[in-house]
Amino acid sequence: MAKITNKKVDVVLVGLGWVSSVMAMELADSGVSMLALERGPDRNTVPDFAFPKMADELSYAVRLKLMQNLANSTVTVRRNEQETALPYRSMGSFLPGTGVGGSGVHWGAYTFRPLPAEMRLRSHVTEKFGADIIPADMTIQDYPVDYDELEPYLTRFEQIVGVSGIGGNVKGEKVNGGNPFEGYRSAPLPLPPLKKTYNVSMFEQAAKSLGYHPYPTPAGIASGAYTNPYGMQLGPCNFCGFCDHYGCLNYSKASPQTCVLDALKRKPNFQYQTHCEVTRVNLDSSGSRATGVTYIDAQGNEVVQPADVVILGAFPFNNVRLLLLSGIGKPYNPKTNEGQVGRNLAYQTTGAVSLTFPDKNFNTFIGAGANSVGIDDFAVSEIDFRKEGFIGGGVIKTSQSGSGPIKGTPVPGGTPAWGSAWKKAVVENYGHTMSVNVHASNMSYRQNYLDLDPTYKDRHGDPLLRMNFNWHDNDMKMLDFMRKKAEQIAQQMNPASMHSSFKKVGAQFDVRPYQTTHIVGGAIMGDSPANSVVNKYSQSWDVPNLFVVGASSFPQNLQYNPTGLVGALTLYSAKAIRDIYLKSPGPLVNAARRAA
């Protein structure tokens, strides 16, 4: 294996998904030379997502062709320190993507923005209900940037994505049909909402009849022709049903490919390389300045890539692992509650009520990922935490993304898992089943964290990342509260049968069933090196020319999908790098204060 040193670039970006593509596009006009390193293959709409190649349920929804190869890169998992962590060898609970576009290729395109209360969660809880209701082992904290400061960047990311929906609070005016509980918007959403499938209309009517406030959930799926701020064109969704787990064959679902990359590739100061697995962030002798990265290329060579600025824009697992392998920051110790790297790992809490209607046909083979209507009547900002005995909240919704003949075979509870009875139930229920879903927050806890596994190593001899995670009673109490509300709406639709699937208090984390890929934390942002890895601009406190951007910076998880906030934080960081850091390299918090 040869060791190679490349010519220095101004900026090296690790990963080429939403974070790195948007970051590079925002920095391009500053003239800096940029190189993005992606560990997976190159991908583009044509030829990779083109019809009929992508319309293949077996390859993409069952065999998960767009996801990372767990034989090459995985994590180990344990629920507590009494267990021995074992490698995650079969895709189940979460599905990290790989290749150009990352998880932004196969996502369902829900593009929520956070609630103002979620951006200052610890203060919200303390001021409204008292700090004494926060469990001793719960480590939630405020973001160092508040909703109002971030709002312009949330709006810009929605415009880049081309979000379809109805803004419910535009310039201080409540908009009929939108979410009345959301924060202030400086502009309406770029496109009107997607058309509603039958099940979505049924849910909407049922929720309204109960006095709730249903709204079309914001979808990064074009409801009409649209040109975004980068000049990228999107076409209207045709509800083909190949959305979740698939790349969009119709230029309708937002992805780095659809919204950014073709414009970015035209920039003469941007380059990218694939099949490059970054193994270290390199530091100078003082340990306080990054000199670039080291990666293994497609031929197995060890390559040093010098750079003046390093930006980690990968999945949270990969961002945190690179920090730990590179010796940047102090690793978190749950026994002493000291150290920051790996702290505040959080996930998502979910559940569903399945409803069967023999007299209705939902045509479930059609759909789009974020074809959905939801209610925020039980959002984080709307629940009396002291009265209910938990902290958290969620969105209750229904959706129809399209179900193929392999995985789209729902059957009533109690049906045998195989044999003639199962076959009969599939025939009787296909097209006649819908669900009411809960997508809810997950708090951070002292016992949930990331570190390096002492036993298992990857193919390069480096320790695997270890995921220490289990459910806590607080979140299960919240989920039970949400279950009752979801069942109320389900019963209002008068199904022939219904079955609820929700975790209960005492539930143990199980990696086998899919839940979400919304893993956050481990390199969280805060207002001090004592409580965080990065500052409000996603800049490392320890290494000022290193930026760690993405969901790894969340102190706890939102009740929503994280992509909208990830995009806004990327734009916020990019502006600070472009306008302040490149002119005067150094800690941005101090520089921003001087500029103000």
Side-chain angles (χ1 to χ4, degrees):
M1 181 174 69
K3 187 163 185 176
I4 301 168
T5 299
N6 285 343
K7 181 182 177 181
K8 190 175 80 167
V9 295
D10 295 323
V11 179
V12 64
L13 303 105
V14 178
L16 190 51
W18 276 121
V19 168
S20 290
S21 60
V22 170
M23 177 68 76
M25 193 66 187
E26 293 292 310
L27 297 181
D29 289 344
S30 66
V32 293
S33 59
M34 296 178 288
L35 173 66
L37 300 171
E38 167 57 49
R39 66 179 178 176
D42 204 354
R43 292 198 176 106
N44 212 338
T45 303
V46 177
D48 300 287
F49 309 154
F51 184 84
K53 180 179 180 180
M54 189 51 57
D56 181 347
E57 184 188 10
L58 182 61
S59 292
Y60 295 100
V62 178
R63 294 177 177 166
L64 304 173
K65 194 173 181 179
L66 294 177
M67 315 310 169
Q68 73 181 45
N69 185 342
L70 297 181
N72 293 336
S73 180
T74 191
V75 296
T76 65
V77 183
R78 65 176 182 175
R79 293 172 291 197
N80 55 63
E81 293 191 350
Q82 286 68 53
E83 292 185 345
T84 299
L86 296 172
Y88 182 65
R89 289 298 190 198
S90 179
M91 287 287 186
S93 183
F94 44 87
L95 307 174
T98 192
V100 172
S103 297
V105 170
H106 67 78
W107 71 318
Y110 288 92
T111 317
F112 288 96
R113 52 172 59 191
L115 296 166
E118 292 182 298
M119 298 300 295
R120 54 187 308 274
L121 183 61
R122 191 172 193 95
S123 293
H124 171 75
V125 173
T126 301
E127 292 166 6
K128 200 163 184 180
F129 308 106
D132 62 296
I133 73 164
I134 302 174
D137 63 346
M138 185 183 286
T139 54
I140 59 173
Q141 63 187 56
D142 295 353
Y143 286 78
V145 53
D146 66 20
Y147 180 88
D148 289 341
E149 190 175 2
L150 202 61
E151 197 284 329
Y153 305 91
L154 292 163
T155 293
R156 179 166 171 81
F157 187 67
E158 290 164 350
Q159 292 167 348
I160 292 168
V161 166
V163 176
S164 299
I166 302 174
N169 182 3
V170 180
K171 298 181 180 179
E173 296 291 330
K174 297 293 184 180
V175 179
N176 186 40
N179 178 10
F181 306 107
E182 69 180 14
Y184 165 88
R185 291 179 179 273
S186 58
L189 288 169
L191 289 167
L194 295 168
K195 293 180 180 179
K196 301 181 181 77
T197 49
Y198 186 22
N199 67 310
V200 170
S201 295
M202 285 179 56
F203 173 92
E204 182 178 47
Q205 292 167 10
K208 280 183 178 177
S209 71
L210 291 168
Y212 299 141
H213 303 82
Y215 65 96
T217 56
I221 300 173
S223 60
Y226 179 71
T227 301
N228 79 0
Y230 297 151
M232 298 291 286
Q233 296 177 325
L234 286 76
C237 176
N238 65 3
F239 283 67
C240 72
F242 295 95
C243 203
D244 288 330
H245 298 81
Y246 304 91
C248 184
L249 54 84
N250 202 49
Y251 294 91
S252 301
K253 183 175 75 171
S255 68
Q257 281 82 352
T258 310
C259 300
V260 188
L261 286 170
D262 282 347
L264 179 60
K265 290 174 187 178
R266 295 187 179 99
K267 302 292 184 179
N269 53 333
F270 173 79
Q271 296 180 342
Y272 70 102
Q273 296 177 11
T274 58
H275 300 289
C276 295
E277 186 174 355
V278 177
T279 59
R280 293 291 187 283
V281 176
N282 304 324
L283 303 174
D284 67 6
S285 58
S286 72
S288 61
R289 179 171 179 78
T291 60
V293 300
T294 296
Y295 67 90
I296 308 298
D297 69 11
Q299 290 73 43
N301 299 310
E302 186 178 69
V303 183
V304 174
Q305 178 57 63
D308 290 328
V309 177
V310 177
I311 298 174
L312 304 186
F315 192 72
F317 285 158
N318 303 318
N319 280 353
V320 174
R321 184 169 182 251
L322 275 174
L323 292 174
L324 291 169
L325 289 175
S326 306
I328 298 171
K330 186 176 181 180
Y332 177 64
N333 183 336
K335 292 186 174 65
T336 63
N337 205 30
E338 296 176 332
Q340 301 303 331
V341 182
R343 175 175 173 259
N344 280 39
L345 169 67
Y347 195 19
Q348 202 93 60
T349 46
T350 60
V353 185
S354 179
L355 297 76
T356 302
F357 299 87
D359 60 334
K360 303 183 190 302
N361 191 339
F362 297 117
N363 293 325
T364 49
F365 56 89
I366 68 170
N371 157 47
S372 171
V373 162
I375 64 167
D376 265 18
D377 294 75
F378 307 104
V380 166
S381 57
E382 305 305 312
I383 297 175
D384 185 333
F385 296 152
R386 179 171 289 279
K387 175 184 174 184
E388 302 299 343
F390 61 78
I391 296 169
V395 55
I396 302 175
K397 60 186 177 67
T398 194
S399 62
Q400 185 169 303
S401 61
S403 58
I406 301 174
K407 297 190 73 178
T409 52
V411 293
T415 302
W418 62 283
S420 59
W422 177 81
K423 292 178 183 178
K424 182 175 182 292
V426 168
V427 171
E428 291 176 349
N429 287 275
Y430 184 80
H432 304 294
T433 301
M434 62 171 286
S435 61
V436 175
N437 304 293
V438 169
H439 192 281
S441 58
N442 181 230
M443 300 300 110
S444 50
Y445 300 90
R446 186 167 173 169
Q447 304 89 343
N448 290 348
Y449 63 100
L450 297 167
D451 65 355
L452 294 177
D453 192 281
T455 304
Y456 291 96
K457 301 184 185 303
D458 68 8
R459 55 185 172 161
H460 308 303
D462 288 326
L464 295 181
L465 190 72
R466 182 168 61 181
M467 178 182 181
N468 303 269
F469 182 84
N470 208 355
W471 302 117
H472 282 63
D473 288 354
N474 171 85
D475 302 87
M476 298 302 98
K477 290 177 183 176
M478 180 269 296
L479 201 56
D480 189 57
F481 173 92
M482 302 298 288
R483 173 189 62 80
K484 295 171 184 175
K485 306 303 181 183
E487 288 177 344
Q488 179 194 34
I489 299 172
Q491 288 167 347
Q492 189 71 6
M493 288 185 272
N494 196 29
S497 64
M498 56 183 274
H499 171 73
S500 295
S501 179
F502 285 78
K503 293 176 283 291
K504 300 177 181 179
V505 171
Q508 301 292 297
F509 178 53
D510 187 344
V511 299
R512 294 171 295 177
Y514 181 70
Q515 292 161 77
T516 74
T517 307
H518 306 152
I519 290 167
V520 306
I524 68 172
M525 57 170 46
D527 57 12
S528 162
N531 66 10
S532 54
V533 173
V534 297
N535 62 26
K536 66 191 295 185
Y537 303 108
S538 300
Q539 181 185 40
S540 166
W541 292 108
D542 299 286
V543 182
N545 66 328
L546 171 67
F547 294 81
V548 188
V549 191
S552 55
S553 67
F554 289 22
Q556 55 276 329
N557 210 354
L558 311 172
Q559 67 178 43
Y560 304 121
N561 307 57
T563 309
L565 180 55
V566 167
L569 291 173
T570 302
L571 291 165
Y572 186 77
S573 175
K575 186 176 189 302
I577 294 171
R578 184 181 64 241
D579 295 353
I580 303 174
Y581 182 87
L582 292 178
K583 297 174 183 176
S584 179
L588 280 171
V589 169
N590 295 336
R593 286 171 180 165
R594 288 196 301 272

